[in-house]
Amino acid sequence: MRKSLALVLCGVLLLLSACSGGSKETGGKEKEKVVKIGITQIVEHPSLDAAREGFIAALKDAGYEEGKNLKLDYQNAQGDMNNNTSIAQNLVADKNDLILAIATPSAQAVVNQTKDIPILFTAITDPVGAELVQSLEKPGGNVTGTSDTHPDAIKNTIAAIKTFIPDAKKVGIIYNNGEPNSVVNVKHAKTAIKAAGLESVETTITASSEVKQAAESMVGRADVLYIPKDNTVVAALESVITVANAKDIPTFVGEGDSVKRGTFASYGFDYHDLGYTTGKMAVEILKGKKPSEIPVGFPENLELIINKKAAQEEGITLTEELLKNAKIVE
């Protein structure tokens, strides 16, 4: 009899345990859901890396932390378009709760793979032209994010050429014409160059391994260089810097992180801040907001950034008046 009663009690306890669904850890604490976020990045370079780090920092500040309630799957295509497509397919197949795409090719690849999983992009030049969103104010669909195109950045950077190098006549541009973001940037740059009374000289490349030769081809053809926000060229920026320093060619660039790496000047902003803004969008989506309800964001702060050491290497004479109101990096 006692044995039968014990068996009945055991059965009741097992039933109660099953009804609880196993949703509690030892001590009765509810298990926290682990959020899965996939990150795809077209290539490694400081600006894109900083955007990714800013994104993760925003998640952490909102309570999402790896090893606790967040699982990140970061994959880098290393500039290979086949890898880029495979990464997008894998991140979608893994049923992530959200996907972050860093740079235009990464975003386009992911958008082509899913209309259901929320997608955020960052470091995108022209989200509408790249067919990622229907409009900046009302993105539509499952996609939104942040653009790295401040409306005055290119115009101000080209105008700075006349300020710092008044005798300059020809501006050399190196870019990958297979990158949609670069084509847009170069189009705006050429307009600004013409408006400044200067002439543009172009050289296109298809891979980072071609960048040094492209920079060398500008010697004697261009008085200054302008490097747009081009992932292929920026990934091999040191090749440009080596040639510019050896031949005293002032180098202006499309974003501030390239100035920190050794080019002369840019009107830029902090990509970490841009990524952080994107991270805050992710938090909104994870809490129930739809991407279509979040307008595309832009960098807010634009400032002149100058590398004094690069100025010396590239034969540029600086004065206190020229440095006024500039952010200086050594």
Side-chain angles (χ1 to χ4, degrees):
M1 181 71 177
R2 290 179 180 175
K3 186 174 181 182
S4 297
L5 181 60
L7 288 172
V8 170
L9 288 172
C10 286
V12 171
L13 289 172
L14 287 170
L15 181 62
L16 289 172
S17 176
C19 289
S20 70
S23 62
K24 292 185 179 181
E25 296 175 334
T26 304
K29 185 179 178 182
E30 292 286 342
K31 283 186 178 179
E32 193 172 6
K33 179 189 175 184
V34 176
V35 172
K36 291 173 59 180
I37 296 180
I39 301 177
T40 174
Q41 183 173 319
I42 188 62
V43 72
E44 288 178 348
H45 70 64
S47 295
L48 303 187
D49 294 343
R52 185 183 73 251
E53 291 160 5
F55 177 83
I56 296 171
L59 289 173
K60 185 175 182 180
D61 288 348
Y64 296 93
E65 191 170 354
E66 275 195 282
K68 294 182 179 179
N69 59 353
L70 175 65
K71 181 180 179 181
L72 293 177
D73 182 2
Y74 165 60
Q75 299 189 42
N76 193 301
Q78 302 297 342
D80 187 298
M81 291 305 163
N82 291 326
N83 287 346
N84 187 45
T85 300
S86 296
I87 289 169
Q89 292 170 340
N90 291 338
L91 292 181
V92 171
D94 288 343
K95 300 187 186 308
N96 283 282
D97 296 300
L98 183 147
I99 297 174
L100 171 68
I102 305 175
T104 302
S106 298
Q108 289 176 322
V110 176
V111 168
N112 286 336
Q113 296 300 322
T114 180
K115 302 300 179 187
D116 301 316
I117 298 174
I119 298 170
L120 283 171
F121 56 73
T122 191
I124 305 290
T125 297
D126 183 5
V128 176
E131 300 182 348
L132 301 175
V133 295
Q134 295 173 14
S135 74
L136 301 177
E137 297 77 18
K138 297 181 179 180
N142 61 321
V143 187
T144 189
T146 55
S147 170
D148 59 2
T149 301
H150 191 291
D152 296 326
I154 293 176
K155 179 180 67 175
N156 289 358
T157 301
I158 298 302
I161 293 174
K162 294 290 289 184
T163 301
F164 289 95
I165 318 294
D167 295 332
K169 292 181 174 57
K170 295 184 178 182
V171 180
I173 306 174
I174 303 172
Y175 71 106
N176 179 357
N177 59 1
E179 285 191 34
N181 52 296
S182 296
V183 174
V184 173
N185 278 315
V186 170
K187 179 182 177 181
H188 292 317
K190 288 170 68 175
T191 299
I193 288 168
K194 186 176 180 179
L198 298 167
E199 180 183 345
S200 58
V201 181
E202 301 173 47
T203 293
T204 60
I205 51 94
T206 58
S208 294
S209 58
E210 301 170 8
V211 172
K212 189 171 188 293
Q213 183 177 357
E216 290 171 341
S217 76
M218 287 293 182
V219 177
R221 298 170 58 212
D223 302 307
V224 303
L225 292 178
Y226 174 71
I227 306 301
K229 288 178 290 189
D230 181 294
N231 297 306
T232 309
V233 179
V234 174
L237 190 65
E238 281 67 29
S239 296
V240 177
I241 293 169
T242 297
V243 175
N245 289 351
K247 301 298 182 179
D248 286 349
I249 306 175
T251 307
F252 296 77
V253 290
E255 32 76 38
D257 286 306
S258 289
V259 179
K260 296 174 186 176
R261 287 168 69 183
T263 58
F264 170 55
S266 175
Y267 271 88
F269 55 89
D270 192 331
Y271 271 80
H272 187 279
D273 292 344
L274 192 70
Y276 194 93
T277 298
T278 318
K280 291 195 293 185
M281 291 178 174
V283 173
E284 290 186 75
I285 292 170
L286 293 173
K287 291 183 176 179
K289 203 164 187 178
K290 296 179 180 179
S292 59
E293 299 171 341
I294 305 175
V296 173
F298 292 88
E300 297 177 1
N301 301 314
L302 190 66
E303 58 187 345
L304 174 63
I305 307 170
I306 290 175
N307 187 319
K308 289 180 73 173
K309 182 178 179 181
Q312 185 177 9
E313 292 283 354
E314 296 175 3
I316 304 166
T317 301
L318 297 175
T319 65
E320 289 301 318
E321 181 64 24
L322 289 173
L323 293 175
K324 187 170 64 176
N325 301 322
K327 177 181 179 180
I328 307 300
V329 297
E330 301 286 349

